[in-house]
């Protein structure tokens, strides 16, 4: 396998700086925190890295060519996650059936792992001992042993969801897809010793499995009749509440469109009632689902202080701001940009960075995911408005951004 990589360092070039309309942010924020934005173009297999450069300018400082790193075209880098110290990045590649691990300081590839068809999201466990990969095509959660000190990464185990006893006991509550598979993992996050994995990819095959990630076994399942989630996962900063989204476009025949979010108490692993915000043990998805005021609910993120949870709808381009203390909607986002997908906030609470899909989207229903300006929008957290849109490969109809991450560098 080819391990050498090409890097395009763009600082100082004529087209590298993009100017926003208002505000001020440099490479160091007011608290002295530096960061960079990693934006994944799954349509062209490129990863673009930007840094804030003052006066709401963002400078492109590097570009990772995934094709050259793996010596193979068409990997579709879909999502990115960082180790706790931000020194390593895990990039899940759906078409390539791989998880790539990069050393972030010099953007060098250190591991190329065959984690299986539809490797959709790869996330470091909180202790950085493992990377868990949601492999849609395999119907499996893949476990990678991660020795960061020695830069050694090995696939050591997997959970085939349909074969797991806790899931098999309730298998009839989960419809089988055309291949006879009932549980395909989509995304996950961690809280209180567990990882929470949504199922899908369509809302028709939604649900949640809860994994004890030390024992690496499924402990609990939620059927689509209980928590109809097929997309986003997000633990609150204090890990006391876990959030899910559910989405479908307005042309979805069975539902006519879905935009929902759910809140779950992680102490009891029970959903919170939308009226009382208390755990309920007798419920259906209809009882505990909350409306996102749009179609195809997808990505979400907390502000750095954990005071707000932002949620977006991919088809209708809008979203909500939620107070996680009460789980009440406190504001609305009128426009994230055309076909928004995944978001991540800056560590200084100045911005939300939101990927925007391309005119020929490689994932998601085109009715909801077809965009106009592939790249990412930058929203002011204070004003709730777009201050700039960054298109790294403007004019390329193959460009299609999906994953995004903010890496703290100091």
């Amino acid at each position: 396998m080819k391990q050498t990589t090409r890097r395009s360092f763009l600082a100082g070039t004529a087209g590298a700086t993009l100017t926003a309309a208002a505000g001020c942010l440099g490479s160091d924020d007011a608290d002295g925190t530096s960061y960079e934005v990693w934006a994944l173009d799954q349509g062209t297999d490129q990863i673009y890295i930007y840094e804030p450069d003052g006066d709401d300018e963002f400078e492109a400082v590097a570009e990772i060519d995934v094709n050259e790193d793996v010596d193979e075209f068409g990997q579709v880098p879909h999502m990115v996650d960082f180790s706790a110290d931000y020194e390593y990045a895990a990039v899940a590649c759906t078409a390539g059936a791989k998880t790539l691990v990069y050393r972030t300081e010099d953007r060098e590839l250190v591991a190329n792992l065959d984690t299986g068809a539809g490797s959709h999201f790869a996330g470091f466990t909180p202790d950085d001992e493992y990377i868990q990969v949601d492999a849609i095509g395999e119907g499996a959660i893949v476990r990678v042993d991660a020795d960061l000190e020695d830069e050694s990464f090995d696939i050591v185990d997997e959970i085939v969801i349909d074969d797991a006893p806790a899931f098999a006991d309730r298998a009839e509550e989960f419809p089988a897809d055309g291949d006879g598979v009932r549980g395909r993992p989509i995304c996950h996050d961690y809280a209180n010793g567990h990882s929470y994995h949504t199922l899908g990819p369509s809302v028709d095959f939604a649900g949640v499995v809860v994994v004890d990630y030390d024992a690496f076994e499924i402990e609990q399942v939620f059927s689509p009749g209980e928590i109809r989630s097929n997309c986003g996962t997000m633990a609150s900063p204090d890990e006391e509440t876990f959030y899910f989204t559910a989405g479908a476009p307005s042309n979805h025949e069975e539902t006519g469109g879905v935009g929902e979010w759910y809140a779950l108490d992680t102490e009891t692993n029970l959903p919170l009632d939308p009226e009382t915000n208390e755990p309920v043990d007798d419920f259906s998805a209809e009882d505990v689902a909350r409306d996102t005021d749009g179609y195809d609910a997808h990505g979400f993120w907390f502000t750095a202080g954990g005071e707000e949870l932002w949620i977006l709808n991919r088809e209708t381009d809008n979203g909500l701001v939620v107070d996680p203390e009460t789980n009440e909607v406190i504001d609305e986002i009128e426009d994230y940009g055309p076909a928004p997908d995944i978001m991540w906030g800056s560590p200084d609470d100045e911005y939300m960075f939101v990927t925007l899909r391309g005119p020929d989207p490689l994932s998601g229903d085109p009715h909801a995911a077809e965009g106009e300006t592939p790249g990412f929008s930058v929203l002011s957290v204070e004003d709730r408005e777009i201050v700039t849109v960054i298109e790294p490969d403007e004019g390329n109809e193959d460009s299609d951004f999906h994953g995004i991450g903010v890496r703290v560098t100091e």
Side-chain angles (χ1 to χ4, degrees), residues 125-324:
T125 54
D127 56 10
D128 285 338
E129 294 286 329
Y130 298 98
I131 300 170
Q132 291 188 171
V133 184
D134 298 301
I136 298 174
E138 308 293 338
I141 302 165
V142 179
R143 192 185 209 189
V144 177
D145 182 85
D147 185 338
L148 300 186
E149 184 175 350
D150 291 339
E151 293 189 343
S152 174
F153 302 86
D154 298 291
I155 298 170
V156 293
D157 205 350
E158 69 174 10
I159 298 172
V160 177
I161 292 177
D162 282 15
D163 295 342
F167 188 88
D169 287 346
R170 298 181 58 188
E172 294 305 314
E173 299 176 55
F174 296 81
D177 63 19
D179 295 320
V181 178
R182 298 178 185 273
R184 296 189 184 275
I186 304 301
C187 284
H188 69 273
D189 197 10
Y190 303 92
N192 292 338
H194 295 88
S195 54
Y196 296 76
H197 302 251
T198 51
L199 306 179
S202 166
V203 75
D204 301 316
F205 307 106
V208 174
V209 297
V210 183
V211 174
D212 178 328
Y213 62 78
D214 281 335
F216 199 57
E217 61 183 18
I218 295 176
E219 280 194 350
Q220 188 173 355
V221 302
F222 294 95
S223 72
E226 294 171 325
I227 298 180
R228 183 176 63 170
S229 179
N230 64 325
C231 183
T233 54
M234 179 68 63
S236 62
D238 60 12
E239 300 187 10
E240 293 182 0
T241 310
F242 203 94
Y243 296 89
F244 307 94
T245 57
S250 58
N251 66 345
H252 183 250
E253 185 174 346
E254 295 298 321
T255 63
V258 175
E260 296 172 350
W261 63 283
Y262 298 81
L264 179 138
D265 172 63
T266 60
E267 182 179 357
T268 61
N269 269 348
L270 292 171
L272 297 174
D273 185 287
E275 297 296 327
T276 66
N277 205 38
E278 295 292 331
V280 289
D281 57 10
D282 183 16
F283 62 92
S284 68
E286 185 176 353
D287 296 330
V288 295
R290 305 164 190 245
D291 192 1
T292 61
D293 195 29
Y295 291 127
D296 206 20
H298 207 68
F300 45 10
W301 200 260
F302 279 94
T303 54
E307 297 174 352
E308 296 178 354
L309 175 65
W310 288 38
I311 306 172
L312 65 78
N313 295 303
R314 189 162 53 182
E315 179 179 339
T316 46
D317 306 340
N318 66 329
L320 306 174
V321 179
V322 173
D323 178 354

Side-chain angles (χ1 to χ4, degrees), residues 60-79:
V61 295
E63 180 181 342
I64 298 175
D65 187 334
V66 173
N67 290 327
E68 187 163 316
D69 284 352
V70 302
D71 200 21
E72 187 177 356
F73 180 77
Q75 297 301 300
V76 188
H78 194 68
M79 299 279 279

Side-chain angles (χ1 to χ4, degrees), residues 77-102:
H78 194 68
M79 299 279 279
V80 63
D81 186 48
F82 298 105
S83 59
D85 58 8
Y86 295 96
E87 291 186 5
Y88 294 90
V91 177
C93 301
T94 50
K98 299 177 183 297
T99 295
L100 307 177
V101 182
Y102 285 91

